[in-house]
Amino acid sequence: MKKEFLERYVREDRVNDEPASNYRPVFADALAPRLRGLSPVEAALEVNLWCAEHVTYRFNDSPTSDPLTTYYRGHGRCGEQSVFTVAAMRAAGIPARQVYVPRWSHCDDNHAWVEVFVDGGWHYLGACEPEPVLDRGWFTSPACRAMLVRGRGVDGGYENLTPRYAPTRTWRFHTGLPGGTLTLWMLNDGAFHPIWTMTTDDRGDAALELGLGDLLATVEAPGVWGELLCKGKEGSEFTIPLGRPELCPERVLRFEAPDPPPDFPPPLTAVQQRRREEMLTQAAQRRRLWTEAHRDAADAPDRPGGQGFPAPFTDRAVAATRLPCGDQLFVMGPAGAELTPPAAAPEELLRPQPMPITVSGPRLLAWLRPGEEPTAHFLNELAALDVPFPIPVETRTDAPPTDLPRVLGLDPESLPLLALVGWDGLCHYAGGGYWVGSAALLARLAALLV
């Protein structure tokens, strides 16, 4: 390997913007006995298992902690888990980098994971999420719907990794503004957030390989502004008009997410599945002992301050409604305006997408937690319907299939998890958690499927 590559991905102590810490001797000493005699692939998988034995997911909104702090605390959000895992890989001599989606297109969130360079190429894995093989994680299918995936290149700058994960095309932007700052924005959590910035060439053009959904593109220079909502499913060449747009709160716009993937990774073999279960059990048991032994560190308060994400637009107000298919209906008005999120007609809520499991439809699949809220509210609403539910209802009390909630853009912890499946075996609507009127809405939507 070239010196520059090793300097960046093995010897570099900091992974992103976390504080520097002397983690390397601590991690190297702990890992060395476990990695003797292993191949590079086996070593990478073993390091990730070790990481899962010490750190689990817990959301926080504080600045990213350093790897040693995350190690002793035993928890962190995905950004901290991935920094910790990259640090452990590097301490073991395995080239590694953090990879992330700045903002998902199909749901209101983001995610970070890890790539390792083994057997002559980059391979991905979920940080602190052990699997028996590389290039597998709960985010495999959601990443197919990403507009942009990025990581640090050898030079330390951002590298566009989207084609490794999602269908892409080359987007070309024409602005007529040479040397302008072109920024790409994603609608997420009810605001537009920047995900990539470029400088236009001497003709005012720029190009980038991106996913197949929508983006807002803006271009600016001193005293000049232009913007355009670019519809990725309608083309790949966009001319951005200069001048401030008129913000019309009455105009409902649609921000489309890339389509779901047509198929999914093959299931693990029986042997791999057993190994995965063994790894998860081992990680949970050892992590519990580790956390109990370091309870003072685990309960330490977060550092003050936010994560430092780039600020969203501040010159306008946005109100958005996220549809189950991942698209959004939204309106924009001047900053400070009180806007109402657009309402969606029932037929707009339906959009077929493949399921990672085989289902004979039509039916409503409902994963519930009986005796607890909000399952009880949903069941009460279901029983109170004036007419029988128009399709069979199949209630389940087991855990949802591993990848199902994430594929459908849902939080796996938000039960009841509901999926309307049509005659075609596709999911036409999915929802998680409880909201007033959920059973009645599902009945109206189910009637549209038969």
Side-chain angles (χ1 to χ4, degrees):
M1 295 183 185
K2 292 184 178 181
K3 178 182 177 181
E4 295 84 358
F5 186 92
L6 293 176
E7 288 291 341
R8 171 59 58 187
Y9 297 122
V10 178
R11 300 188 184 110
E12 175 67 48
D13 285 328
R14 291 183 63 185
V15 177
N16 200 329
D17 58 357
E18 78 282 1
S21 66
N22 191 26
Y23 66 82
R24 197 175 293 266
V26 178
F27 294 177
D29 288 348
L31 287 165
R34 297 178 60 153
L35 304 183
R36 291 193 184 100
L38 298 184
S39 69
V41 170
E42 292 169 335
L45 296 172
E46 187 67 20
V47 171
N48 199 29
L49 174 58
W50 178 85
C51 290
E53 294 171 2
H54 295 86
V55 174
T56 190
Y57 178 83
R58 183 187 296 181
F59 173 77
N60 66 69
D61 195 31
S62 63
T64 302
S65 62
D66 67 86
L68 273 179
T69 297
T70 303
Y71 176 60
Y72 288 118
R73 293 175 72 177
H75 60 79
R77 66 179 184 279
C78 63
E80 292 168 320
Q81 288 179 303
S82 53
V83 165
F84 167 66
T85 303
V86 169
M89 295 288 180
R90 292 179 180 178
I94 301 171
R97 63 185 175 186
Q98 184 189 51
V99 176
Y100 62 100
V101 173
R103 298 283 173 175
W104 290 117
S105 182
H106 69 288
C107 64
D108 293 320
D109 204 350
N110 62 354
H111 191 56
W113 58 90
V114 173
E115 285 188 347
V116 293
F117 194 88
V118 293
D119 284 2
W122 287 107
H123 299 268
Y124 71 85
L125 46 85
C128 305
E129 298 169 355
E131 295 280 355
V133 294
L134 294 175
D135 297 320
R136 192 176 189 91
W138 68 260
F139 54 87
T140 298
S141 295
C144 291
R145 304 186 72 183
M147 288 299 295
L148 178 73
V149 181
R150 70 187 190 186
R152 295 286 185 179
V154 173
D155 63 358
Y158 287 122
E159 182 179 350
N160 181 8
L161 305 176
T162 316
R164 289 173 43 77
Y165 293 93
T168 61
R169 70 163 61 99
T170 299
W171 292 47
R172 302 187 186 280
F173 303 94
H174 309 290
T175 72
L177 188 63
T181 299
L182 180 74
T183 305
L184 306 179
W185 306 75
M186 183 72 68
L187 182 58
N188 193 286
D189 267 336
F192 281 99
H193 299 265
I195 62 171
W196 192 268
T197 300
M198 300 178 283
T199 300
T200 59
D201 62 18
D202 55 7
R203 295 176 298 178
D205 297 341
L208 190 67
E209 197 80 5
L210 295 163
L212 307 182
D214 288 358
L215 287 168
L216 182 68
T218 65
V219 64
E220 61 180 315
V224 183
W225 177 271
E227 69 177 73
L228 179 70
L229 178 61
C230 302
K231 308 295 291 182
K233 296 178 182 177
E234 297 178 3
S236 58
E237 300 251 352
F238 301 95
T239 299
I240 301 175
L242 300 181
R244 290 281 176 179
E246 179 181 355
L247 300 177
C248 179
E250 292 76 29
R251 183 186 178 196
V252 177
L253 303 169
R254 190 175 185 117
F255 196 93
E256 293 184 272
D259 290 330
D263 47 35
F264 303 95
L268 296 173
T269 66
V271 172
Q272 290 171 335
Q273 183 63 37
R274 285 194 297 271
R275 176 56 183 153
R276 184 178 188 274
E277 292 170 357
E278 291 170 356
M279 296 169 79
L280 293 174
T281 300
Q282 174 181 316
Q285 292 172 343
R286 295 186 179 181
R287 188 171 60 246
R288 183 169 58 253
L289 296 174
W290 176 259
T291 303
E292 290 174 355
H294 299 83
R295 186 163 300 281
D296 289 345
D299 294 336
D302 295 327
R303 288 196 298 141
Q307 296 178 32
F309 289 139
F313 267 134
T314 57
D315 71 337
R316 67 194 67 189
V318 178
T321 298
R322 175 76 71 175
L323 303 180
C325 64
D327 295 355
Q328 298 174 81
L329 304 179
F330 71 101
V331 293
M332 292 192 295
E338 294 187 7
L339 305 178
T340 300
E347 53 271 18
E348 290 186 289
L349 300 179
L350 295 176
R351 178 176 168 188
Q353 56 182 319
M355 298 269 282
I357 57 175
T358 301
V359 181
S360 297
R363 66 186 58 243
L364 170 66
L365 290 177
W367 279 269
L368 309 174
R369 193 172 287 137
E372 299 183 18
E373 296 293 1
T375 289
H377 267 83
F378 171 72
L379 292 176
N380 288 339
E381 280 196 7
L382 201 61
L385 292 175
D386 294 333
V387 296
F389 204 81
I391 60 177
V393 177
E394 181 181 329
T395 59
R396 306 283 297 270
T397 57
D398 58 336
T402 304
D403 296 332
L404 179 66
R406 301 294 191 183
V407 166
L408 300 178
L410 303 175
D411 178 0
E413 299 300 321
S414 295
L415 298 182
L417 192 151
L418 310 164
L420 275 178
V421 181
W423 289 102
D424 50 14
L426 302 177
C427 179
H428 289 254
Y429 176 90
Y434 171 75
W435 65 98
V436 175
S438 58
L441 174 62
L442 286 164
R444 291 178 62 193
L445 297 177
L448 299 176
L449 299 180
V450 295

PDB file of all heavy atoms in Angstrom, residues 5 34 43 63 79 98 124 158 229 261 306 326 337-338 370 397 446 448:
ATOM      1  N   PHE A   5      -1.817   6.250   1.764  1.00  0.00           N
ATOM      2  CA  PHE A   5      -2.975   5.455   2.143  1.00  0.00           C
ATOM      3  C   PHE A   5      -2.853   5.006   3.597  1.00  0.00           C
ATOM      4  O   PHE A   5      -3.805   5.108   4.386  1.00  0.00           O
ATOM      5  CB  PHE A   5      -3.074   4.244   1.206  1.00  0.00           C
ATOM      6  CG  PHE A   5      -4.309   3.414   1.395  1.00  0.00           C
ATOM      7  CD1 PHE A   5      -5.448   3.657   0.657  1.00  0.00           C
ATOM      8  CD2 PHE A   5      -4.330   2.375   2.323  1.00  0.00           C
ATOM      9  CE1 PHE A   5      -6.592   2.893   0.825  1.00  0.00           C
ATOM     10  CE2 PHE A   5      -5.461   1.599   2.493  1.00  0.00           C
ATOM     11  CZ  PHE A   5      -6.601   1.860   1.747  1.00  0.00           C
ATOM     12  N   ARG A  34      -6.848 -11.685  20.533  1.00  0.00           N
ATOM     13  CA  ARG A  34      -8.004 -12.214  19.805  1.00  0.00           C
ATOM     14  C   ARG A  34      -7.763 -12.319  18.304  1.00  0.00           C
ATOM     15  O   ARG A  34      -8.540 -12.967  17.598  1.00  0.00           O
ATOM     16  CB  ARG A  34      -9.241 -11.336  20.065  1.00  0.00           C
ATOM     17  CG  ARG A  34      -9.661 -11.320  21.513  1.00  0.00           C
ATOM     18  CD  ARG A  34     -10.848 -10.421  21.764  1.00  0.00           C
ATOM     19  NE  ARG A  34     -12.047 -10.791  21.022  1.00  0.00           N
ATOM     20  CZ  ARG A  34     -13.281 -10.523  21.439  1.00  0.00           C
ATOM     21  NH1 ARG A  34     -13.454  -9.906  22.602  1.00  0.00           N
ATOM     22  NH2 ARG A  34     -14.321 -10.854  20.710  1.00  0.00           N
ATOM     23  N   ALA A  43     -10.171 -10.967  10.958  1.00  0.00           N
ATOM     24  CA  ALA A  43      -9.764  -9.984  11.962  1.00  0.00           C
ATOM     25  C   ALA A  43     -10.735  -8.811  12.008  1.00  0.00           C
ATOM     26  O   ALA A  43     -11.105  -8.336  13.090  1.00  0.00           O
ATOM     27  CB  ALA A  43      -8.347  -9.492  11.665  1.00  0.00           C
ATOM     28  N   PRO A  63     -21.604  16.946  21.001  1.00  0.00           N
ATOM     29  CA  PRO A  63     -20.496  16.762  20.059  1.00  0.00           C
ATOM     30  C   PRO A  63     -19.933  15.344  20.153  1.00  0.00           C
ATOM     31  O   PRO A  63     -19.994  14.698  21.204  1.00  0.00           O
ATOM     32  CB  PRO A  63     -19.471  17.804  20.516  1.00  0.00           C
ATOM     33  CG  PRO A  63     -20.260  18.834  21.244  1.00  0.00           C
ATOM     34  CD  PRO A  63     -21.374  18.096  21.907  1.00  0.00           C
ATOM     35  N   GLY A  79     -22.716   7.879  14.937  1.00  0.00           N
ATOM     36  CA  GLY A  79     -21.494   8.588  14.607  1.00  0.00           C
ATOM     37  C   GLY A  79     -20.365   8.260  15.564  1.00  0.00           C
ATOM     38  O   GLY A  79     -19.198   8.127  15.162  1.00  0.00           O
ATOM     39  N   GLN A  98     -14.639   6.092   8.273  1.00  0.00           N
ATOM     40  CA  GLN A  98     -16.054   6.312   8.558  1.00  0.00           C
ATOM     41  C   GLN A  98     -16.767   6.692   7.268  1.00  0.00           C
ATOM     42  O   GLN A  98     -16.248   7.446   6.453  1.00  0.00           O
ATOM     43  CB  GLN A  98     -16.214   7.432   9.591  1.00  0.00           C
ATOM     44  CG  GLN A  98     -17.652   7.682  10.024  1.00  0.00           C
ATOM     45  CD  GLN A  98     -17.774   8.929  10.873  1.00  0.00           C
ATOM     46  OE1 GLN A  98     -17.289  10.002  10.501  1.00  0.00           O
ATOM     47  NE2 GLN A  98     -18.395   8.806  12.031  1.00  0.00           N
ATOM     48  N   TYR A 124     -17.870  -2.888   3.658  1.00  0.00           N
ATOM     49  CA  TYR A 124     -18.560  -2.160   4.717  1.00  0.00           C
ATOM     50  C   TYR A 124     -19.078  -3.084   5.802  1.00  0.00           C
ATOM     51  O   TYR A 124     -19.267  -4.290   5.602  1.00  0.00           O
ATOM     52  CB  TYR A 124     -19.696  -1.305   4.146  1.00  0.00           C
ATOM     53  CG  TYR A 124     -20.899  -2.077   3.636  1.00  0.00           C
ATOM     54  CD1 TYR A 124     -21.912  -2.475   4.502  1.00  0.00           C
ATOM     55  CD2 TYR A 124     -21.044  -2.368   2.282  1.00  0.00           C
ATOM     56  CE1 TYR A 124     -23.032  -3.159   4.034  1.00  0.00           C
ATOM     57  CE2 TYR A 124     -22.155  -3.044   1.807  1.00  0.00           C
ATOM     58  CZ  TYR A 124     -23.140  -3.443   2.688  1.00  0.00           C
ATOM     59  OH  TYR A 124     -24.245  -4.121   2.232  1.00  0.00           O
ATOM     60  N   TYR A 158     -13.659  15.250   1.474  1.00  0.00           N
ATOM     61  CA  TYR A 158     -14.779  14.332   1.295  1.00  0.00           C
ATOM     62  C   TYR A 158     -14.687  13.621  -0.048  1.00  0.00           C
ATOM     63  O   TYR A 158     -14.355  14.236  -1.073  1.00  0.00           O
ATOM     64  CB  TYR A 158     -16.111  15.070   1.403  1.00  0.00           C
ATOM     65  CG  TYR A 158     -16.465  15.469   2.806  1.00  0.00           C
ATOM     66  CD1 TYR A 158     -16.700  16.805   3.126  1.00  0.00           C
ATOM     67  CD2 TYR A 158     -16.558  14.520   3.812  1.00  0.00           C
ATOM     68  CE1 TYR A 158     -17.029  17.188   4.415  1.00  0.00           C
ATOM     69  CE2 TYR A 158     -16.884  14.893   5.106  1.00  0.00           C
ATOM     70  CZ  TYR A 158     -17.116  16.217   5.411  1.00  0.00           C
ATOM     71  OH  TYR A 158     -17.428  16.588   6.690  1.00  0.00           O
ATOM     72  N   LEU A 229     -35.554  23.382  -7.523  1.00  0.00           N
ATOM     73  CA  LEU A 229     -35.890  22.056  -7.028  1.00  0.00           C
ATOM     74  C   LEU A 229     -35.689  21.084  -8.187  1.00  0.00           C
ATOM     75  O   LEU A 229     -36.425  21.116  -9.174  1.00  0.00           O
ATOM     76  CB  LEU A 229     -37.340  22.009  -6.534  1.00  0.00           C
ATOM     77  CG  LEU A 229     -37.823  20.647  -6.019  1.00  0.00           C
ATOM     78  CD1 LEU A 229     -37.007  20.178  -4.832  1.00  0.00           C
ATOM     79  CD2 LEU A 229     -39.315  20.700  -5.666  1.00  0.00           C
ATOM     80  N   PRO A 261     -35.230  -0.537  -3.371  1.00  0.00           N
ATOM     81  CA  PRO A 261     -34.528  -1.508  -4.218  1.00  0.00           C
ATOM     82  C   PRO A 261     -35.473  -2.608  -4.679  1.00  0.00           C
ATOM     83  O   PRO A 261     -36.403  -2.981  -3.961  1.00  0.00           O
ATOM     84  CB  PRO A 261     -33.442  -2.066  -3.291  1.00  0.00           C
ATOM     85  CG  PRO A 261     -33.972  -1.832  -1.906  1.00  0.00           C
ATOM     86  CD  PRO A 261     -34.752  -0.559  -1.984  1.00  0.00           C
ATOM     87  N   GLY A 306     -24.133  21.150  20.530  1.00  0.00           N
ATOM     88  CA  GLY A 306     -24.721  20.241  19.548  1.00  0.00           C
ATOM     89  C   GLY A 306     -23.650  19.540  18.736  1.00  0.00           C
ATOM     90  O   GLY A 306     -22.451  19.720  18.932  1.00  0.00           O
ATOM     91  N   GLY A 326     -41.858   7.529   1.546  1.00  0.00           N
ATOM     92  CA  GLY A 326     -40.620   8.278   1.679  1.00  0.00           C
ATOM     93  C   GLY A 326     -40.681   9.665   1.072  1.00  0.00           C
ATOM     94  O   GLY A 326     -39.889  10.541   1.429  1.00  0.00           O
ATOM     95  N   ALA A 337     -43.028  32.674   9.026  1.00  0.00           N
ATOM     96  CA  ALA A 337     -44.416  32.414   8.642  1.00  0.00           C
ATOM     97  C   ALA A 337     -44.929  31.161   9.345  1.00  0.00           C
ATOM     98  O   ALA A 337     -44.194  30.193   9.552  1.00  0.00           O
ATOM     99  CB  ALA A 337     -44.520  32.247   7.138  1.00  0.00           C
ATOM    100  N   GLU A 338     -46.194  31.177   9.733  1.00  0.00           N
ATOM    101  CA  GLU A 338     -46.833  30.010  10.340  1.00  0.00           C
ATOM    102  C   GLU A 338     -47.473  29.189   9.228  1.00  0.00           C
ATOM    103  O   GLU A 338     -48.436  29.622   8.592  1.00  0.00           O
ATOM    104  CB  GLU A 338     -47.868  30.437  11.374  1.00  0.00           C
ATOM    105  CG  GLU A 338     -47.262  31.127  12.591  1.00  0.00           C
ATOM    106  CD  GLU A 338     -48.283  31.392  13.675  1.00  0.00           C
ATOM    107  OE1 GLU A 338     -49.432  30.910  13.527  1.00  0.00           O
ATOM    108  OE2 GLU A 338     -47.945  32.080  14.648  1.00  0.00           O
ATOM    109  N   PRO A 370     -48.750  -6.876  23.027  1.00  0.00           N
ATOM    110  CA  PRO A 370     -49.995  -6.921  23.812  1.00  0.00           C
ATOM    111  C   PRO A 370     -49.778  -6.564  25.276  1.00  0.00           C
ATOM    112  O   PRO A 370     -48.742  -6.884  25.867  1.00  0.00           O
ATOM    113  CB  PRO A 370     -50.438  -8.381  23.658  1.00  0.00           C
ATOM    114  CG  PRO A 370     -49.802  -8.849  22.395  1.00  0.00           C
ATOM    115  CD  PRO A 370     -48.474  -8.146  22.347  1.00  0.00           C
ATOM    116  N   THR A 397     -46.743 -11.314  17.522  1.00  0.00           N
ATOM    117  CA  THR A 397     -46.148 -10.872  18.778  1.00  0.00           C
ATOM    118  C   THR A 397     -44.647 -11.162  18.835  1.00  0.00           C
ATOM    119  O   THR A 397     -43.989 -10.851  19.823  1.00  0.00           O
ATOM    120  CB  THR A 397     -46.841 -11.542  19.979  1.00  0.00           C
ATOM    121  OG1 THR A 397     -46.760 -12.969  19.844  1.00  0.00           O
ATOM    122  CG2 THR A 397     -48.301 -11.118  20.055  1.00  0.00           C
ATOM    123  N   ALA A 446     -56.851   0.011   3.035  1.00  0.00           N
ATOM    124  CA  ALA A 446     -57.004  -1.402   2.684  1.00  0.00           C
ATOM    125  C   ALA A 446     -58.120  -1.591   1.668  1.00  0.00           C
ATOM    126  O   ALA A 446     -58.022  -2.439   0.770  1.00  0.00           O
ATOM    127  CB  ALA A 446     -57.263  -2.234   3.941  1.00  0.00           C
ATOM    128  N   LEU A 448     -58.800   0.296  -0.698  1.00  0.00           N
ATOM    129  CA  LEU A 448     -58.298   0.656  -2.016  1.00  0.00           C
ATOM    130  C   LEU A 448     -57.509  -0.473  -2.670  1.00  0.00           C
ATOM    131  O   LEU A 448     -57.228  -0.443  -3.878  1.00  0.00           O
ATOM    132  CB  LEU A 448     -57.406   1.898  -1.933  1.00  0.00           C
ATOM    133  CG  LEU A 448     -58.078   3.178  -1.414  1.00  0.00           C
ATOM    134  CD1 LEU A 448     -57.058   4.294  -1.284  1.00  0.00           C
ATOM    135  CD2 LEU A 448     -59.196   3.613  -2.360  1.00  0.00           C
TER     136      LEU A 448
END
